[in-house]
Amino acid sequence: MESSLKNVLVVSFGFLLLFTAFGGLQNLQSSLYREEGLGVAALSTIYGAVLVSSMFLPSVLIKKLGCKWSIVISMCCYVAFSLGNFYASWYTLIPTSIMLGLGAAPLWSAHCTYLTIMGNTHAEEAGKIGKNVVNQYFGIFFLIFQSSGVWGNLISSLVFGQKPTQAAIPEENLLSCGASDCLMATASTNSTQSPSQELIYTLLGIYTGSGVLAVLLVATFLQPIKDVQEKSKGEEKSSSFWSTLLSTFKLLRDKRLCLLILLPVYSGFQQAFLSGDYTRSYVTCALGIQFVGYVMISFSATNALCSVLYGKISQYTGRIALYMLGTGIHVSCVIALLLWKPHPHQLAMFFVFSGLWGMADAVWQTQNNALYGVLFEKNKEAAFANYRLWEAVGFVIAFGYSTFLCIYVKLYILLGVLSLTMVAYGIVEYLESKNLAQPLAMEETKPAEEGEIQTKL
């Protein structure tokens, strides 16, 4: 097995183990810790800390420690959050949530930087096109990573498998499900008894062990890597600390990045809608909470398969076609969700929607990261830090209005943000095509000018 592919697989399986634990815990926070809103407060704290972390930490940490050890240290922050859940209180969950949030931005920035450098290095050695190899590596990563949603939900379903018998949901309750849900209807008929403390400790033990394995895997087997461009700069060490620290903001002077801000913002919006609103106002409301895990498994499985597919076909279709596909799927889903009245008799539809959402989300996750890596190759750390910053902004805004807006309003917001996002993305692609066309035009004019000189002579 070639060295670059081995490193891609190590990173991918490390993230698989880590997010099998975190994904499962994230989905259970609001259910396990309802008292005084502790679970929701923990989630809000995580994304608030991610937002702050994205502004400052990634560039500094990656330049000081390198990609490998930035990933390892950041993973330890996730393990600390798992440990905090053993004695869940405001004094354990909130501090460990802050730790996790601070580690999240460097983790993702370091991973994206690592895959981009690895892809470009391998492409140069093999005589391939850099962006195609980078796309393929991100496809492999997200195939493995997105399956963490399957395993995380499956583990929690197996551990909490013994549930009380659910009564049939009254028809009048079903009328408030879907787009018409304004969070005023209670879901008492769908509530379940809290699992025993023994089962909770069993689940947390599995999740913590999975996180520890992720740290050991990456620390032991991942090969450190240095960017060739960083080596060639020579004088890079003389750059000031504050210059490095604020590189995330300095990159905003690039108008392409300003136009692309909406891509990560929309990514945060649509992920928050699926995990928070679709599961609550469609699945739990109409079927019961026992189906949430299975619906999310459908999303994760589709997402994983499409991620590797898009990574392979992007070299033939180009990224524009994939963005059009993702946009078409999400627009269709949003319109259908506005019109659909969920009912237990339409069981398959709940899985169809989550599967289609996974197909579109795979576009955003693979192509957004690859796009940032290709367009901002010389400032990868700052670019990916910006990506996590604005994705966190999307999450924070979506969670912020989650409790007081009706579902149909949120769906209209998704449509509006997606439309603006695609317009801004189209402008960036137009600017890039013009930049690529100018050198070609210059090369074509040179032979013509040389021919005129020769005829004059």
Side-chain angles (χ1 to χ4, degrees):
M1 182 187 296
E2 61 187 39
S3 175
S4 59
L5 181 58
K6 185 211 80 172
N7 287 306
V8 171
L9 292 176
V10 169
V11 171
S12 302
F13 280 102
F15 272 66
L16 169 64
L17 291 168
L18 188 71
F19 281 87
T20 291
F22 174 66
L25 273 179
Q26 184 182 35
N27 291 338
L28 294 170
Q29 288 297 300
S30 59
S31 300
L32 289 177
Y33 314 121
R34 301 172 189 168
E35 295 81 5
E36 301 179 3
L38 175 59
V40 175
L43 292 176
S44 301
T45 303
I46 287 173
Y47 287 105
V50 170
L51 202 159
V52 175
S53 171
S54 301
M55 297 178 187
F56 304 107
L57 282 182
S59 295
V60 174
L61 206 61
I62 293 171
K63 287 184 182 298
K64 293 292 182 184
L65 302 178
C67 290
K68 173 181 176 175
W69 294 110
S70 296
I71 292 173
V72 171
I73 291 175
S74 299
M75 283 182 165
C76 292
C77 296
Y78 281 73
V79 176
F81 178 72
S82 298
L83 293 172
N85 278 261
F86 277 97
Y87 302 98
S89 70
W90 290 94
Y91 301 104
T92 57
L93 273 188
I94 299 304
T96 53
S97 295
I98 293 173
M99 285 184 64
L100 190 155
L102 292 177
L107 176 72
W108 284 97
S109 296
H111 133 262
C112 292
T113 302
Y114 189 93
L115 289 187
T116 303
I117 295 173
M118 186 67 69
N120 286 326
T121 303
H122 176 69
E124 187 176 344
E125 293 172 353
K128 298 179 181 178
I129 300 175
K131 64 179 181 179
N132 290 342
V133 178
V134 171
N135 264 324
Q136 187 176 354
Y137 282 179
F138 274 108
I140 294 171
F141 170 81
F142 280 106
L143 165 68
I144 298 170
F145 165 73
Q146 293 293 357
S147 66
S148 64
V150 175
W151 307 119
N153 284 303
L154 186 60
I155 290 170
S156 65
S157 298
L158 292 174
V159 174
F160 293 157
Q162 296 183 352
K163 296 182 181 294
T165 304
Q166 299 288 323
I169 300 174
E171 290 292 329
E172 57 268 22
N173 281 25
L174 293 174
L175 294 176
S176 64
C177 297
S180 58
D181 183 15
C182 290
L183 308 181
M184 289 182 283
T186 61
S188 57
T189 54
N190 303 339
S191 63
T192 59
Q193 296 177 355
S194 298
S196 67
Q197 201 65 32
E198 183 181 352
L199 288 178
I200 293 175
Y201 284 153
T202 300
L203 182 64
L204 291 175
I206 295 171
Y207 283 160
T208 304
S210 180
V212 171
L213 282 176
V215 173
L216 294 176
L217 176 67
V218 174
T220 306
F221 295 106
L222 189 65
Q223 175 187 348
I225 190 171
K226 289 186 177 180
D227 193 348
V228 176
Q229 291 173 344
E230 292 294 325
K231 292 181 188 175
S232 65
K233 290 184 180 178
E235 303 296 326
E236 190 72 25
K237 292 182 180 178
S238 62
S239 63
S240 69
F241 170 79
W242 288 107
S243 175
T244 302
L245 188 65
L246 299 177
S247 60
T248 302
F249 296 107
K250 288 167 64 179
L251 194 59
L252 287 171
R253 290 182 293 189
D254 191 325
K255 61 183 177 181
R256 298 174 303 169
L257 183 63
C258 293
L259 287 167
L260 290 176
I261 281 174
L262 283 175
L263 273 176
V265 169
Y266 177 74
S267 177
F269 269 63
Q270 58 92 12
Q271 289 180 75
F273 176 82
L274 181 77
S275 61
D277 298 310
Y278 179 72
T279 54
R280 177 183 56 204
S281 299
Y282 287 85
V283 182
T284 301
C285 186
L287 299 178
I289 198 171
Q290 71 273 20
F291 278 92
V292 170
Y294 298 112
V295 168
M296 294 304 287
I297 286 174
S298 172
F299 164 80
S300 299
T302 310
N303 202 325
L305 292 174
C306 287
S307 292
V308 72
L309 176 64
Y310 297 156
K312 287 185 175 296
I313 68 172
S314 61
Q315 56 187 311
Y316 305 108
T317 63
R319 60 176 177 251
I320 296 177
L322 291 177
Y323 273 115
M324 290 176 64
L325 174 65
T327 302
I329 293 173
H330 263 177
V331 169
S332 302
C333 284
V334 169
I335 293 173
L337 289 172
L338 281 167
L339 301 174
W340 181 45
K341 297 294 183 183
H343 195 280
H345 295 161
Q346 304 167 326
L347 182 62
M349 291 301 298
F350 295 89
F351 293 90
V352 168
F353 276 116
S354 62
L356 288 173
W357 208 272
M359 289 178 63
D361 184 68
V363 173
W364 314 127
Q365 300 308 320
T366 58
Q367 299 309 302
N368 286 0
N369 285 287
L371 178 64
Y372 270 62
V374 170
L375 293 187
F376 309 105
E377 187 178 351
K378 295 181 180 179
N379 298 283
K380 289 179 288 295
E381 299 94 337
F384 289 127
N386 265 286
Y387 184 88
R388 296 304 154 195
L389 165 66
W390 295 108
E391 189 176 47
V393 168
F395 273 110
V396 170
I397 294 173
F399 282 132
Y401 65 57
S402 178
T403 56
F404 60 86
L405 290 183
C406 295
I407 296 300
Y408 73 88
V409 177
K410 298 175 187 177
L411 288 169
Y412 283 128
I413 290 174
L414 278 180
L415 272 180
V417 174
L418 178 57
S419 301
L420 291 174
T421 300
M422 287 300 102
V423 170
Y425 165 71
I427 294 173
V428 172
E429 287 290 3
Y430 173 73
L431 293 174
E432 283 301 295
S433 65
K434 283 182 65 178
N435 290 337
L436 290 173
Q438 286 176 355
L440 292 175
M442 292 287 290
E443 289 178 5
E444 289 177 359
T445 55
K446 282 182 180 179
E449 289 175 356
E450 290 173 0
E452 287 180 7
I453 293 171
Q454 287 178 354
T455 53
K456 288 178 180 177
L457 292 173

